[in-house]
Amino acid sequence: MFSIMTKDELARLATGERCCMLAELSAVARMRGRFAGGRRAAGEAQRFEMATENAAVARRIVSLARDLFDLRPQAKTARRKGGAPGNLYVVWLPWDETTRAALEEMGLVLPARGATRQSPGGRRAMRAGVPWRILSRQCCRRAYLRGTFLARGYVQNPEKAYHMEIVTDAEPLACGIVRIAASFGVAARVTGRRRGFMVYVKGGDDVAQLLRVMGACASVITLESVRVMRGVRGDVNRAVNCDTANVAKTVDAGLVQTEIIRDFVARAGMGSLPRGLHEIAELRLAHPEATLKELGEMLAPPITKSAANHRMRRLLDLARRAETKEILTPARIL
Ligand SMILES: [Zn+2]
């Protein structure tokens, strides 16, 4: 689900500058494109097809081709291979001089020697690696990464694991993607698969950074809040379960609580809290390093450690629910 949400978000982003549109469509066409029709043995083709299971991605291809080259691709739906559920959306262009010129500008095919309208170069033309020529600007490298993810990317639900992957058919392409990711500080790796080469990224920091680079802001927020909540759960449990909790752990828990409370207050305001929670929230903000026992003693009248703990849990629970609600309606955070 998270992967589909991320793709939907990316496929609906503003398309941006022409240079970036070119880079994004180049990635999608390279990874989803194939030549079809014509006599295969003779290396002929009648169409250039791009197929995807994602309707938003198909629409993205159509609008990029229109805005960039004034092309009007045709689209059709087909059954997926092997009876897999869902549709396959096939967006296609006639394989003619105009299409060839577009592919050439996207760095996907080499300039054809002696290509004519009748014979624009055939199906053996596609280039293996990354078209560095059109990726000299940083904005375009971001768009290119976005295109590779829209075409063949997957990101694991962050509740389960921090993992993101992009499947390619050729090693030069996989290594090119790794180099682009590295230029943004993302440590990606390549592994060989039964068919092709997979680029993958592990760890919360790198997955978040790659999503950020691609422009998936809502997905980054979702992922980061999962990370924060996990941190809180862990730290609160530790501080609560362990009577002899050492100071460092207490401070950690306090800092995470402070961060969450500050975030919540910035969005919802203190006024939305019941008085008891309001008090403990203000004390926590004023004393991030204090233990819950100390916070309880600062109240007038003072409350016990377990009562302070109880209030803090209710407060964090409230913040967590407010956040989940926002994640479910991403329009509000954008
Ligand atoms: Zn650009």
Side-chain angles (χ1 to χ4, degrees), residues 208-280:
Q209 171 66 359
L210 187 51
L211 288 171
R212 202 174 288 123
V213 167
M214 290 175 181
C217 302
S219 299
V220 172
I221 291 170
T222 306
L223 183 134
E224 293 290 12
S225 49
V226 169
R227 294 178 80 192
V228 172
M229 292 307 168
R230 273 187 172 178
V232 171
R233 280 186 200 129
D235 284 332
V236 169
N237 289 344
R238 241 183 287 147
V240 170
N241 296 341
C242 177
D243 274 346
T244 55
N246 65 41
V247 178
K249 278 180 185 169
T250 310
V251 170
D252 275 350
L255 290 178
V256 178
Q257 289 163 5
T258 307
E259 206 171 295
I260 291 181
I261 295 166
R262 196 177 290 139
D263 199 50
F264 174 76
V265 169
R267 283 180 289 124
M270 278 289 190
S272 65
L273 291 173
R275 209 175 121 241
L277 302 190
H278 185 156
E279 283 173 350
I280 195 109

Side-chain angles (χ1 to χ4, degrees), residues 17-21 23 134 137-141 143:
E17 302 280 325
R18 189 174 196 281
C19 59
C20 302
M21 289 197 263
I134 63 164
R137 298 175 66 180
Q138 201 190 54
C139 56
C140 304
R141 290 197 292 272

Side-chain angles (χ1 to χ4, degrees), residues 33-49 95 100 103 108-110 112 118-127:
R34 69 180 199 107
F35 296 98
R39 287 176 301 162
R40 189 175 277 270
E44 291 172 355
Q46 290 167 338
R47 299 185 302 279
F48 181 71
E49 292 185 349
W95 181 231
R100 169 173 249 296
L103 262 56
L108 291 173
V109 295
L110 299 168
Q118 286 72 36
S119 146
R123 64 167 79 224
R124 296 197 187 101
M126 197 88 107
R127 200 188 269 196

Side-chain angles (χ1 to χ4, degrees), residues 149-258:
F149 181 78
L150 285 173
R152 297 216 178 260
Y154 174 77
V155 57
Q156 174 83 268
N157 181 347
E159 300 266 9
K160 291 185 184 146
Y162 307 121
H163 173 91
M164 198 163 167
E165 62 186 49
I166 296 160
V167 176
T168 73
D169 61 356
E171 200 169 14
L173 180 59
C175 294
I177 294 170
V178 168
R179 269 180 65 191
I180 299 173
S183 78
F184 292 102
V186 176
R189 293 194 181 84
V190 177
T191 173
R193 288 182 113 207
R194 199 154 47 87
R195 295 170 62 186
F197 297 83
M198 184 175 86
V199 176
Y200 68 95
V201 171
K202 287 210 173 296
D205 287 334
D206 284 302
V207 171
Q209 171 66 359
L210 187 51
L211 288 171
R212 202 174 288 123
V213 167
M214 290 175 181
C217 302
S219 299
V220 172
I221 291 170
T222 306
L223 183 134
E224 293 290 12
S225 49
V226 169
R227 294 178 80 192
V228 172
M229 292 307 168
R230 273 187 172 178
V232 171
R233 280 186 200 129
D235 284 332
V236 169
N237 289 344
R238 241 183 287 147
V240 170
N241 296 341
C242 177
D243 274 346
T244 55
N246 65 41
V247 178
K249 278 180 185 169
T250 310
V251 170
D252 275 350
L255 290 178
V256 178
Q257 289 163 5
T258 307

